[in-house]
Amino acid sequence: MTATIASITLDSIIQEKNLTVYFQPIVANASGEIFAYEALIRGPINSYFHSPIHLFNEASKQGRLVELELLCRALSIQQFQRLKLAGKLFLNASPDTLFQPDFRAGQTLKMLEKAGLSADRVVIELTEHSPLENYQMVREALQHYKEMGFEIAMDDLGSGYSGLRMWNELRPDYVKIDRHFMDGIGSDKVKQQFVISIKNIAAELGCKVVAEGVETAEEFRFIEKIALPFCQGFYIAKPSPLPLRKVSQALFSLPLKKPITQTLDTQSPIIAELLHHIPAISELTTVEYCATLFNENPDWESIPVIELSASGKQKPVGLIRRNCLTQLLFSKFGRELSGKKSIHSLVDKNVLMLESELPIELVTDAINAQSEAQKALEFIITEEGYYAGIGSIMALIKVISNMQISNARHANPLTLLPGNVPINKKLEQFINQQSPFVVAYIDLDNFKPYNDYYGYEKGDQIITGLADILRDVINDNQDFIGHIGGDDFIVITENRDWEKQCRKILSEFSEWVRHRYLPEDQMMGGISAADRFGKKQFYPMLSLSIGCVPLPPPACKSYHDVSILASHAKSMAKKRKGNSLYIADQQSVGVALISQKPVSYYAPKADGQYKQSMAIGYSLSA
C-alpha cells in the first residue's frame, strides 16, 4: 500500500512539477566574490519527498530517474535565468542516468538554448551513489558534454564511491572535497594533510578544488590559509530559493584581492594584484616593540603606520623602514635611549600611495619618480583612501616591464601604436566591464594613389601624422588608440564627447593634409594618377572616413562581434565623398539580425563644418 501511495505522490510531483529549486553560492576565496551557484532540488514541503534523497531513491525504484533528473535540470536552468544570477550554474547529474534506456543525449543543450543560457556557464556535477564500473561509457558521455562547451565537476571526493580512481578516469574540471574532511580540519592534522595533498594533485591535473560543507570560521580559516580556490557551505550561506548575491567581506580574515592577471589576459592588471597584507601599527608604537616585529618577521622591510579615523578605519600615515630602525638601535646606547620612545619621528611620510583598483599601466611615471627620489622598496595600497596592504616596487616594475615588452612586441613598427593583439585584448576588456563604450574605425580615403604618386616616404608621413593627430585629440588615459595596419586605425572610448572628438579629428586632418601636397596639386584639389588598370584618374585630396558604433552592454559577446559592426560602419562612411563621420544608431546595434535602420552620419558642408544627416543603412539589430 505504501509503495502505491509513494508512486502516486511521485507521479503527481512530476506531473505538477511540484519541486522547488534552491541555490547555494560557491565563492572564489581570493576575491570574496560569488563564482557560481549549485542548484539543489527539494520536494513538497512537509512531505516525505521534501528530502532529495527520498525523492531520487523512489524515482530510481520506479525507473523514472531520467525523467525526474531532466525535470529538475529544466527547472534549475529556468529559475537561474529568471533570478538573473551571475556566474556559473552547477547542475547535479547521476552517472546512473547514462545507462537508462530512456536517456537521450542533447536534452540539456536544448534546455539552455530555450532559456538563453550558454553552455560555458554550466558545470555538470556528477553525484555518485553507487559503484561506477563502466568508466569508458561515462568518459565518452562527459567528453560529449565538454565538446558542447560544458565543464565537469566531481562531487564528494573521499566519500563513498567518489574515489581517486574516478578522479583519474574522468579528469573533471572541478573536484569537490567531501564535508567529512572539512569537519574540524582546523585542528585535525590528518585531514589537513589529505586536503593539501588533494590540492597538489589538482594542480598537477589542471583541476580546480572546491571545499564543500564549510560550516565554521575555523574551517574556513584553514582553506583560506592554504589558498584553496573555492568554497561552499553554511559558513558562507545556506541553500535558498532566493540566494545570496553578495558575500560579506567580514567573513574573510585575509584582505580580498583579485587573482594575478598575466599581461596577455583580456583584463589589464591592477594594483590590487600586488597587494601583500602586513598588519599596520600606530605612530604611538614603541621603537622596541617595532624592532621585535622586524626580528620576528625577517622578510619584512617596512611596516605600515596608520591612524584611526573617527569611524575606526585605518588611514595610512607612512612606513617605518627596517634600515632606519636598525641604524638607530645599533648606534651607541641606541636601544637604551630610544627603545621606550614612540616611532613617530621615524615614520617616512613621503610614501607613494596607490588605490587598489588603479590600472598598473597608469602609474609608470609615479613609480619612476618615487623610486628615483627615495630608492623605496615598497608602497602603500589603499581602498577608498584607507589602508589595505603594501606592494613591492620591484614586483610592480616587473609587471610594467612585462606589459611594455608585450606591447612593443605587438605594436605597429611605424606609429608604435598597439597592433591587433592588444586591440583585441582591449576590446575584450571593455566588453567584460559591461559598461557602454564607443568604437570608431578610422580609414584614409585615396591613400594608395597618394602613396604611389608621392612615394613611400611621404606616404609614411601621412600615416604617422594621422597617428599624431589621434594622440593629440584622444588624450584621456582611459581611451585607447590602435593601429590595425596600413591606413586603418581604431579608437575605443568611454568619453561622453566622442562625437566632438571625431569631428575635431576630421577638422584637424583636413587642415593638416592640405600642406602635404605640392602647390599645384593644392590648386587642383587633388592629383591625377594611374589607377590599378593604368588609366589616368583624378583623385581628390586625402580624406578620412570614420565609422562609429556606440555599444551599450551586452551588445557584443566578443571582439569578433565588435569588428564586424565597426567594419560595417566604416564601409558605410566610405560611401560618402570626402571627410565623413557615420554613426550607427544605438538602437540598431545588437547581436545577430540584419535589418534596415536609420543611422546618422556627419557630411561636410561648404564652409568646412559638418552637418548631421540621416541615412538608411544595414546594421545589426537585436
Side-chain angles (χ1 to χ4, degrees), residues 561-573:
D561 296 339
V562 179
S563 65
I564 292 170
L565 289 167
S567 297
H568 167 75
K570 181 204 73 169
S571 67
M572 295 301 293

Side-chain angles (χ1 to χ4, degrees), residues 30 74 99 190 207 302 415 435 469:
F99 304 103
V190 175
C207 178
S302 302
T415 61
S435 57
I469 290 173

Side-chain angles (χ1 to χ4, degrees), residues 189-209:
K189 299 298 182 183
V190 175
K191 289 181 179 179
Q192 289 178 7
Q193 193 56 53
F194 175 86
V195 171
I196 291 171
S197 298
I198 291 301
K199 178 195 169 190
N200 294 336
I201 294 171
E204 291 295 323
L205 295 176
C207 178
K208 295 175 276 288
V209 180

